[in-house]
């Protein structure tokens, strides 16, 4: 600094310093708490965590085991319809099949109907992004600038509504359930609405604003694999049409695995089904439209009840049980090591006293 000119000295002093402020926080002088781990505290932590996890895990497993569920693979039972659907030129030909089953015990409470798919990869990276969230919000967007390609528009320029591979591949089988008792057949009432998440139904999906739904979608066309335009998905309930159709909303929430199930219907608890599904003979009737043979897939229909912990999924209970068992075993191992070391220390102390 002796050779530094006064001007450069002033510039150096004016330059901001990189040293932290002389405060307790930046100089790390704040009071801190350092846990003093003792054998009692460590062992008690392991045993308490293990007991809590085991209790929760066993409760979840017992709860899951109380779920009543029946699953039917109808892709094999409907082999004739499957062969018909292999040829895309038969898209306008109807095909029906059925599957009989027997409930030996009543399925009490709320009963949910799911459809299941196997070997269908909704988690493919190009499939997952093939949608337009702005379009599903009911906004007027140019789908050509979205990730919907190649399901954006037809050759004449008419845009698809909704666009994208996810919407185009929607599950479109129709499943009805019939109860056979005393030589009579009663159709089980099923609810189409109320099966999607509230946030999806009220936040993420909106219909375009117009006087009526058909005019709202004027100038658009249905996706190529659809049989009806989006504003006619539910001809019985006008409030369940367009982008807020429950089946469309449920399908658009893609699955993380290639084998999955999605909620299709709920049994309406009315008349003789007020308490659920009574024991007896039942028949599923399928309008077979969704082909699965080309990707070596399978289709299932599932009837299931629910409990306080959810549906029939034992993963969470098994995970808690494994973690609780591991924590408890770790506590016993630490105890054994401590006793062995204490015994060894006592032995050497006694030997040292005898030598002295």
């Amino acid at each position: 600094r002796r050779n530094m000119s006064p001007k450069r000295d002033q510039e150096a002093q004016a330059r901001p310093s990189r040293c932290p402020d002389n405060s307790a926080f930046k100089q790390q002088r704040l009071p801190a708490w350092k846990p003093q781990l003792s054998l009692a505290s460590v062992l008690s932590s392991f045993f308490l965590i293990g007991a809590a996890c085991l209790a929760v895990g066993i409760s979840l497993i017992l709860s899951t085991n109380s779920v009543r569920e029946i699953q039917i693979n109808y892709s094999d039972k409907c082999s004739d319809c499957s062969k018909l659907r292999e040829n895309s030129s038969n898209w306008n030909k109807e095909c029906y099949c059925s599957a009989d089953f027997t409930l030996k015990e009543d399925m009490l409470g709320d009963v949910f109907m799911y459809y299941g798919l196997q070997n269908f990869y909704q988690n493919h990276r190009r499939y997952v992004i093939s949608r337009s969230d702005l379009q599903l919000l009911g906004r007027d967007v140019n789908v050509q600038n979205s990730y919907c390609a190649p399901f954006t528009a037809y050759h004449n320029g008419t845009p698809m509504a909704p666009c994208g591979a996810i919407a185009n591949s929607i599950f479109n089988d129709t499943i009805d359930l019939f109860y056979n008792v005393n030589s009579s057949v009663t159709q089980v009432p099923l609810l189409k609405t109320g099966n999607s998440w509230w946030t999806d139904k009220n936040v993420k999906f909106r219909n375009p604003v117009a006087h009526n739904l058909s005019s709202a979608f004027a100038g658009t066309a249905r996706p190529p694999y659809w049989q009806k335009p989006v504003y006619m998905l539910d001809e019985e309930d006008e409030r369940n049409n367009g982008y807020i159709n429950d089946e469309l909303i449920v399908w658009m929430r893609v699955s993380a695995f290639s084998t999955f199930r999605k909620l299709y219907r709920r049994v309406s608890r009315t008349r003789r089904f007020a308490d659920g599904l009574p024991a007896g003979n039942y028949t599923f009737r399928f309008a077979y439209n969704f082909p699965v043979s080309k990707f070596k897939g399978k289709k299932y229909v599932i009837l299931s009840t629910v409990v306080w912990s959810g549906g029939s999924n034992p993963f969470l209970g098994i995970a808690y049980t494994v973690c609780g068992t591991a924590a408890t075993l770790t506590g016993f191992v630490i105890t054994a090591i401590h006793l062995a070391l204490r015994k060894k220390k006592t032995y050497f102390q006694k030997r040292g006293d005898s030598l002295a």
Side-chain angles (χ1 to χ4, degrees):
R1 291 182 61 90
R2 289 179 301 175
N3 299 328
M4 185 179 294
S5 62
K7 184 177 181 180
R8 295 181 63 185
D9 192 10
Q10 292 177 359
E11 291 178 354
Q13 293 178 358
R15 191 179 300 121
S17 174
R18 295 184 179 180
C19 295
D21 296 336
N22 188 20
S23 62
F25 177 75
K26 292 188 176 181
Q27 295 297 337
Q28 300 183 10
R29 294 195 299 266
L30 289 174
W33 175 75
K34 182 179 180 180
Q36 299 294 328
L37 298 178
S38 62
L39 180 65
S41 62
V42 172
L43 289 179
S44 60
S45 299
F46 274 107
F47 285 123
L48 286 175
I49 293 173
C53 289
L54 283 174
V56 174
I58 293 173
S59 300
L60 288 173
I61 291 175
L62 293 176
S63 175
T64 302
N65 290 337
S66 64
V67 173
R68 295 289 314 283
E69 182 176 297
I70 182 169
Q71 177 174 295
I72 295 176
N73 178 358
Y74 71 94
S75 53
D76 295 335
K77 295 180 178 294
C78 301
S79 56
D80 294 338
C81 291
S82 178
K83 293 178 181 178
L84 180 70
R85 289 288 174 255
E86 287 180 0
N87 189 348
S88 58
S89 62
N90 297 326
W91 67 270
N92 59 343
K93 295 181 180 180
E94 295 182 349
C95 189
Y96 297 93
C97 55
S98 60
D100 300 326
F101 68 97
T102 302
L103 281 181
K104 297 181 179 179
E105 297 180 1
D106 296 342
M107 295 185 71
L108 302 177
D110 294 328
V111 180
F112 298 84
M113 180 188 293
Y114 302 84
Y115 61 84
L117 291 177
Q118 180 179 330
N119 209 34
F120 190 96
Y121 288 85
Q122 275 198 316
N123 56 359
H124 190 280
R125 62 181 183 86
R126 291 191 63 186
Y127 182 90
V128 168
I129 64 174
S130 186
R131 60 189 292 166
S132 174
D133 290 321
L134 291 178
Q135 185 193 44
L136 296 172
L137 279 171
R139 300 178 183 176
D140 187 13
V141 296
N142 184 6
V143 294
Q144 298 287 0
N145 298 330
S146 66
Y147 293 103
C148 289
F151 302 101
T152 54
Y154 289 93
H155 296 295
N156 60 2
T158 304
M160 299 180 189
C163 70
I166 304 177
N168 182 60
S169 61
I170 188 173
F171 182 85
N172 57 351
D173 283 0
T174 302
I175 307 174
D176 294 316
L177 180 61
F178 296 90
Y179 178 45
N180 309 316
V181 59
N182 299 329
S183 301
S184 63
V185 178
T186 303
Q187 185 171 2
V188 179
L190 302 174
L191 299 175
K192 297 180 180 180
T193 57
N195 300 324
S196 59
W197 290 18
W198 186 92
T199 51
D200 289 345
K201 186 81 171 181
N202 297 276
V203 178
K204 296 183 178 181
F205 292 81
R206 285 283 188 274
N207 281 327
V209 179
H211 296 294
N212 57 70
L213 211 53
S214 59
S215 62
F217 289 97
T220 64
R222 60 177 175 82
Y225 290 174
W226 285 30
Q227 298 175 346
K228 296 182 290 187
V230 66
Y231 55 87
M232 294 180 61
L233 289 178
D234 190 350
E235 298 179 0
E236 299 176 358
D237 188 357
E238 295 182 357
R239 297 170 299 177
N240 191 35
N241 270 319
Y243 296 146
I244 59 173
N245 176 265
D246 273 60
E247 293 181 33
L248 175 63
I249 293 174
V250 170
W251 179 259
M252 294 299 291
R253 181 172 286 277
V254 296
S255 173
F257 302 100
S258 61
T259 299
F260 58 88
R261 64 174 63 178
K262 291 179 181 288
L263 183 59
Y264 180 68
R265 296 285 190 270
R266 291 176 295 125
V267 174
S268 178
R269 299 179 64 175
T270 57
R271 301 190 299 274
R272 64 174 61 186
F273 307 103
D275 297 327
L277 291 180
N281 298 320
Y282 289 85
T283 300
F284 279 118
R285 186 172 181 267
F286 309 99
Y288 199 104
N289 299 309
F290 193 88
V292 295
S293 57
K294 288 189 176 181
F295 57 86
K296 299 180 181 179
K298 294 184 181 298
K299 293 191 292 187
Y300 302 89
V301 58
I302 303 108
L303 289 175
S304 177
T305 59
V306 295
V307 290
W308 63 270
S309 60
S312 178
N313 188 357
F315 172 77
L316 194 60
I318 294 174
Y320 269 106
T321 305
V322 170
C323 291
T325 304
T328 305
L329 290 177
T330 303
F332 283 117
V333 170
I334 294 175
T335 303
I337 293 174
H338 171 71
L339 293 176
L341 291 177
R342 189 173 67 175
K343 183 177 181 181
K344 188 175 181 180
K345 183 178 179 181
T346 304
Y347 169 77
F348 281 111
Q349 285 180 349
K350 290 182 177 179
R351 188 175 181 182
D353 293 341
S354 62
L355 292 175

